[in-house]
Amino acid sequence: MTSPLQKSGAEPSSEATGQTGQESLDGQGGISYRKLLRNVPFALLWLTLAQSALGDQFFKVGVPWHATQQFGDVFDGALIGMAMALPLTIFGLCSGVLVDRVNRFGLLLGADLVRMAITGAIAATLATSMLGLPGLLAGVILLTVPSTLYMPAVQTIVPRLAGGHVPTIARMDALLLGSATTMTVLGPSITGLALTVVPLWALLGIDAVTFGIAALLIVAIRVKAGGEMLRPTAAKPSRSLKGILSAVREGLRFIMTEPALRAQFLVYPALDGAQYSIVFIVPGFLLSYGDGGTVLFGVAVAAIGVGRVAGMFTVTHTFLLRRRGLVFVGNFFVQGLAILVMCVGSEAWLAPLAMFFVGLPAGMATVSVSTYVQSVVPEEMRGRVFASIASLSSAAMPVAPLLFGLVATSVSASVSLMCIAATFILGSVYLMTQRRVREVL
């Protein structure tokens, strides 16, 4: 099969030329971002993620703040974090099997339409003041279920568009993820400001509209790219429960037998759970200093996005793309130090600065892990491997916000954040001892 990018004159795939992923890395760099956007299917995919990500921030920032402020406890915000993570932990492994076996057009379109309906329903019930904490938690869980399919599906499409050329895959990943992450800069800032003058339900209504726009753009991708790019990669898969479970095990087995990935994913569940908890503890940290308005919280969350964008584009434009092991071992160490400085400083204004240095190495790691997996995993397994990675990473996410929320409630939010920092540093020390991780190129 010839990808749209190859038709427009891009380099052939590394598989076609007999190159390995590492040989591609050492060769000519990927094409420019401007040229990438001339590829219409890729440009539409980029626009789909970018505009939807902006609406997502209204939900991801506004709802935890609403729960913390409206229901009066940091632990209530932590419960929202649990609800957001629970579907990925439960359904994530099976979602990868579906991505490999189901036409991506129907999958992406259906996910956007379902999320539009659920977000609209949450907005409507908030507008009528009929939604308490149990209903809000249920709505969050229902909204997150279709989201477990979305990014694994997108990540299986990117290598086809890039023709298998690793530097181009990295550029595409950086542009897609970086643009989406840019919205995590605009979104929290806009949310923090908007919540001072408009109710949350109005922002969630806008979020529902972005899902509708995303659905239309997916239809446009189908028209421009044809059916081949969005077809499933698994050949005549078994539809039995035994066959599905066997496919799930294949994804997990690949991760646990690939030396560099295995070492990382032995500790990533705890590290990613701690990282995920930060945004649900920071409101309590800011409120404890009396400076915890929605604007400062929005700026702090936006700073994570600024750091992520900077990290993503740094890793694709420097030697770090060929020294990804440095990123793997240093990622959480830098994050831990940043949080410790924020807590020891005991000043609310340090939060945005610390959050930038949480986002910076995380952005580098996002691109580094994604390109590494895309270069070493066979195409027919990418969906289940990416879903397995997401599931392993999220394994502790439903529990971690509750644990750190309990510490924040019983002691203080500052102590809870220091526990998160300690988790990061201990995990990084372990990764530094793993030669196969340090030496990844």
Side-chain angles (χ1 to χ4, degrees), residues 118-316:
I118 295 172
T119 307
I122 294 173
T125 51
L126 277 175
T128 58
S129 300
M130 297 175 59
L131 192 63
L133 183 59
L136 184 58
L137 290 171
V140 169
I141 291 172
L142 290 174
L143 179 64
T144 310
V145 169
S147 300
T148 62
L149 299 166
Y150 209 84
M151 282 311 297
V154 169
Q155 287 168 312
T156 61
I157 294 171
V158 169
R160 289 185 176 185
L161 290 173
H165 185 229
V166 176
T168 304
I169 293 173
R171 288 290 180 96
M172 286 186 169
D173 279 339
L175 189 55
L176 287 174
L177 299 173
S179 297
T181 305
T182 299
M183 299 308 170
T184 67
V185 178
L186 296 176
S189 302
I190 293 172
T191 303
L193 290 171
L195 286 177
T196 64
V197 293
V198 299
L200 177 61
W201 65 263
L203 296 182
L204 297 187
I206 296 174
D207 187 18
V209 171
T210 66
F211 285 128
I213 295 172
L216 293 176
L217 290 171
I218 293 298
V219 173
I221 292 172
R222 172 67 175 79
V223 171
K224 291 294 184 180
E228 279 296 293
M229 189 189 74
L230 299 174
R231 67 174 174 79
T233 52
K236 298 181 180 180
S238 168
R239 297 181 182 274
S240 67
L241 178 60
K242 183 178 179 180
I244 293 174
L245 293 177
S246 176
V248 168
R249 286 195 295 270
E250 288 177 5
L252 290 172
R253 187 181 303 117
F254 185 94
I255 295 171
M256 289 306 169
T257 56
E258 207 288 327
L261 292 177
R262 180 179 183 276
Q264 293 178 77
F265 283 94
L266 288 176
V267 294
Y268 272 9
L271 297 176
D272 284 343
Q275 184 187 58
Y276 176 73
S277 303
I278 293 172
V279 73
F280 305 104
I281 306 301
V282 167
F285 174 81
L286 296 175
L287 287 168
S288 69
Y289 288 98
D291 298 316
T294 57
V295 174
L296 186 55
F297 178 56
V299 172
V301 178
I304 300 176
V306 173
R308 283 185 177 271
V309 172
M312 288 176 181
F313 285 89
T314 297
V315 80
T316 57

